[in-house]
Amino acid sequence: MRLPRFLAPRTVAHAHCDLPCGVYDPAQARIEAQSVKAIIEKYHGNEDPVFRTRAIVIKEQRSELVKHHLWVLWTDYFKPPHFEKYPQLHTLFNEATKLAGASGGKGTLDVAVADQLLGKIDEIAEIFWETKKA
């Protein structure tokens, strides 16, 4: 049964879950980034073209999840007072999402890039946990 048009929502909102729960943790991004790194390592250790193709597809999916989890933190958790206290946050998020995106995890098979991404996520996590203490 469809709702009459006048009862249908005019605006659709999207969140990382169905209810803004207030539960955030950079570990979600880190776990996916660790997966990206492990997949790159497995790719280099296997010559099977079918395996390598699957590895690339999965690596790109995981990289997209890294970006998603970072964006949730950036846009939903961190507020203007955090950005005032930690002015490097915008740059950290920008660099991390680029390292997960086309110029990084999605677009390369370089383990060093995956390590750089993990480093940026660790920097973000350090700030995140400082804000949770406050």
Side-chain angles (χ1 to χ4, degrees), residues 48-92:
D48 177 31
V50 174
F51 177 88
R52 285 182 147 204
T53 299
R54 286 183 54 233
I56 289 170
V57 169
I58 294 167
K59 173 188 65 75
E60 290 181 4
Q61 292 169 342
R62 298 296 175 208
S63 294
E64 194 62 35
L65 286 170
V66 172
K67 287 176 25 179
H68 168 77
H69 291 303
L70 288 171
W71 283 335
V72 167
L73 285 172
W74 194 5
T75 60
D76 295 356
Y77 174 75
F78 286 105
K79 305 289 183 234
H82 299 132
F83 292 109
E84 290 169 15
K85 184 171 182 182
Y86 305 97
Q88 74 275 31
L89 261 177
H90 284 301
T91 301
L92 277 173

